[in-house]
Amino acid sequence: MNKYLVFLLWMSALGNILAQQAQDSIESGSVALTSGLSTGSFQRAMEPSRSYSIGFDTNGKTTIAQWKLEGRFAYQRQFKEDILFAGVLDPYDGNPFIWGDTLSGNWQHDGFDTRVDLALPRYKNNVFGITVDYTNATGARKNGPKPFYRYRDITIAPRVKTFIAGREDHYLSLKLSYASAFEENEMGYYSTNDTYLIRGRGYGSALKGPINSLDRRRKSNRYGIHLQWIYTDSWDIKVGSQYRKDNIQDGLSNPREDGNYMEFQGHGEINHAISNARYGLLLNYRAGSTDDAVFGFENSEAKEMSAVLSIDLDRKNNHQFLPEFLLGLFYHQQDDYIVYADYESQNLLMQLSRTHKINNIQFYWDIGYQYNINRQSSVLDPDVLSNLIYYPDFEYRTSDHLIVDMNPIIQWGANKNGKTNFFIKLKNRILARSTSSIRYIGEVTLGINL
């Protein structure tokens, strides 16, 4: 971890030195305060019934002698109410080796994100660059047995952009990425509540036992490759893949192997523009499996596939009321071989969207509907997590529901660089299964352009 921090601090120091040497080269930057709210009964099983957040975000970029440097720093504090079971940072990141107890409670989270991007001067027909992202977070539940987590994630992504025939509107871009994540969990050090620990093994299987000062560690490595081809304003083609492996251990002084989670992701995207029309196709594939050290075999598998078609007949916004159309087909499957569980579903998503701009107000909206076209589930030997977590989550994923987004941006004032001084961003999302099952997710950002 120390070598990552040293490298990140070196990159930040380099940016500060360059900026001090050429103060007038700053092209853009902003400082903003953010606040968020999520509430409503239409939620996944391990999501909070209500959450609040407050934080700030600052970013900027500068160009000095053809060296381009961008940076971002953000901090957020979150308060989450009534989280069921989950004692880890993100129970829905794909890895089923999660743990928790039979109690629910309120959590407090603190986290910051730092990003540094450096692009070197152009060398012949090539531009080399590198991006470093660093995330650090901690969180704890307020009631006993007071599960606690510490988390850090660092991603390093070098890239090269090659201009074809010397044209800047025709190029090939290759990016490699490596990410290392570490999560450490503690539970039960000062508990007086009558509860027990549940260690998830797959999509329903679990081990249960009394809580007695337990520790857990998760180490994750992700390797990715991404390729993009741009040809003028007509073609934009992207392909990429990522391999991930998580290793989970119980105990710190005498660690015991708990299991491994392996995952492969692949995606492809094609966008083609003709005059004022744009057509797009997005394909995604994701497959994960677990290797359980306790049971000694591969005990669960998951698979996701999706295809999304988009058609925009007014990409230049010449017609105010002609929206973009999106049609998506989504397939999802989870298998657990210990409790003999099988969850399988196919959903259809239809969506209309458009961005309007009137004077200093930009307004984006979309309205969509998810419709389940097939679902089937079977659990022959259900365990505690089958009814507590995975079947309710299957019900959520396969429910027919409405999706509405309304995101206005308001800018006003003019600074010496000819840019607006202030801005307000509002994000509003409503998910509605029925009039009595609704989820609202909102965010307010107040910022100053530098």
Side-chain angles (χ1 to χ4, degrees):
M1 177 177 176
N2 291 334
K3 60 182 180 180
Y4 296 136
L5 283 174
V6 169
F7 179 74
L8 185 67
L9 292 173
W10 180 84
M11 293 286 287
S12 299
L14 175 63
N16 291 332
I17 292 173
L18 293 175
Q20 290 174 3
Q21 291 177 348
Q23 293 288 340
D24 295 335
S25 65
I26 295 178
E27 295 181 353
S28 66
S30 66
V31 178
L33 298 176
T34 62
S35 179
L37 168 67
S38 178
T39 184
S41 60
F42 184 47
Q43 64 183 81
R44 303 186 73 171
M46 290 182 284
E47 285 185 333
S49 62
R50 182 182 292 107
S51 67
Y52 311 89
S53 66
I54 188 169
F56 68 89
D57 188 316
T58 177
N59 64 81
K61 65 179 181 179
T62 183
T63 301
I64 304 172
Q66 298 183 355
W67 290 67
K68 296 181 180 180
L69 182 67
E70 297 183 28
R72 175 180 181 264
F73 179 82
Y75 167 80
Q76 186 181 69
R77 168 165 287 193
Q78 291 181 298
F79 304 90
K80 300 182 178 181
E81 299 180 0
D82 298 325
I83 294 182
L84 176 66
F85 175 70
V88 297
L89 167 64
D90 183 5
Y92 291 116
D93 72 345
N95 187 342
F97 283 103
I98 57 178
W99 72 347
D101 56 38
T102 55
L103 302 175
S104 63
N106 301 335
W107 282 72
Q108 179 175 309
H109 305 258
D110 290 278
F112 68 83
D113 297 297
T114 301
R115 179 177 183 269
V116 177
D117 182 275
L118 178 65
L120 278 64
R122 179 169 173 171
Y123 176 73
K124 295 183 178 179
N125 283 330
N126 303 298
V127 174
F128 296 89
I130 187 171
T131 302
V132 180
D133 290 280
Y134 180 76
T135 300
N136 192 291
T138 60
R141 196 174 70 189
K142 295 183 179 180
N143 58 302
K146 293 188 176 181
F148 172 81
Y149 75 80
R150 289 181 289 266
Y151 176 80
R152 68 106 176 111
D153 187 313
I154 185 165
T155 302
I156 300 175
R159 68 184 183 275
V160 58
K161 179 191 290 186
T162 300
F163 300 104
I164 300 175
R167 296 175 52 178
E168 294 195 359
D169 61 350
H170 186 194
Y171 62 84
L172 193 66
S173 177
L174 173 66
K175 182 175 73 172
L176 305 176
S177 65
Y178 167 71
S180 172
F182 175 83
E183 182 176 359
E184 188 174 78
N185 307 93
E186 299 173 358
M187 182 182 290
Y189 280 86
Y190 306 103
S191 177
T192 59
N193 291 321
D194 184 16
T195 184
Y196 58 91
L197 178 69
I198 305 173
R199 295 158 58 197
R201 323 303 302 164
Y203 305 105
S205 56
L207 295 175
K208 302 175 288 294
I211 290 178
N212 184 22
S213 302
L214 298 177
D215 302 276
R216 172 185 178 273
R217 279 184 173 179
R218 178 179 69 89
K219 297 180 180 179
S220 177
N221 292 288
R222 307 187 300 275
Y223 307 88
I225 181 171
H226 309 274
L227 186 66
Q228 181 180 20
W229 176 62
I230 295 287
Y231 179 67
T232 62
D233 191 32
S234 300
W235 291 95
D236 182 358
I237 299 178
K238 304 173 186 176
V239 293
S241 64
Q242 177 181 274
Y243 174 75
R244 166 186 173 186
K245 183 175 182 180
D246 289 11
N247 175 257
I248 299 92
Q249 295 181 338
D250 285 340
L252 298 181
S253 59
N254 184 26
R256 300 175 301 276
E257 193 79 8
D258 198 33
N260 294 288
Y261 172 71
M262 289 75 64
E263 180 185 276
F264 173 80
Q265 293 186 36
H267 72 270
E269 183 178 357
I270 300 176
N271 292 291
H272 180 49
I274 303 175
S275 185
N276 196 32
R278 184 190 62 82
Y279 306 91
L281 178 64
L282 175 63
L283 303 173
N284 279 301
Y285 176 82
R286 177 179 180 181
S289 62
T290 58
D291 183 11
D292 197 302
V294 176
F295 292 104
F297 62 91
E298 183 181 289
N299 64 300
S300 67
E301 291 182 300
K303 185 182 295 183
E304 296 179 11
M305 292 182 288
S306 65
V308 179
L309 173 68
S310 60
I311 300 175
D312 186 359
L313 300 178
D314 184 31
R315 67 188 183 102
K316 298 179 181 179
N317 288 325
N318 294 327
H319 308 285
Q320 288 290 324
F321 302 103
L322 186 59
E324 178 181 359
F325 173 73
L326 182 147
L327 180 66
L329 181 63
F330 301 85
Y331 172 82
H332 189 276
Q333 183 178 13
Q334 291 177 330
D335 294 307
D336 190 304
Y337 306 126
I338 297 177
V339 299
Y340 304 103
D342 178 26
Y343 301 100
E344 187 175 2
S345 64
Q346 295 93 39
N347 295 318
L348 188 68
L349 174 65
M350 295 169 287
Q351 180 178 292
L352 299 174
S353 65
R354 176 52 67 199
T355 298
H356 303 278
K357 187 172 183 180
I358 303 175
N359 296 327
N360 62 335
I361 300 177
Q362 180 175 296
F363 184 82
Y364 169 83
W365 64 266
D366 68 60
I367 181 168
Y369 190 79
Q370 176 183 290
Y371 175 73
N372 177 254
I373 56 179
N374 184 44
R375 51 173 282 172
Q376 54 186 5
S377 65
S378 174
V379 185
L380 299 182
D381 188 19
D383 206 337
V384 59
L385 292 186
S386 301
N387 296 326
L388 186 69
I389 301 299
Y390 290 103
Y391 187 75
D393 203 55
F394 178 73
E395 286 283 308
Y396 174 91
R397 185 164 55 263
T398 59
S399 63
D400 300 341
H401 63 272
L402 181 70
I403 306 166
V404 179
D405 288 293
M406 295 175 289
N407 304 326
I409 301 176
I410 305 171
Q411 304 189 59
W412 73 95
N415 58 28
K416 60 182 180 180
N417 297 321
K419 301 178 181 179
T420 55
N421 273 326
F422 309 101
F423 61 88
I424 299 177
K425 296 181 181 180
L426 302 175
K427 294 182 179 180
N428 301 277
R429 163 164 282 201
I430 296 175
L431 306 174
R433 180 169 55 184
S434 65
T435 56
S436 60
S437 183
I438 298 175
R439 187 77 171 178
Y440 170 76
I441 305 169
E443 184 179 272
V444 179
T445 301
L446 305 176
I448 301 175
N449 291 313
L450 302 177

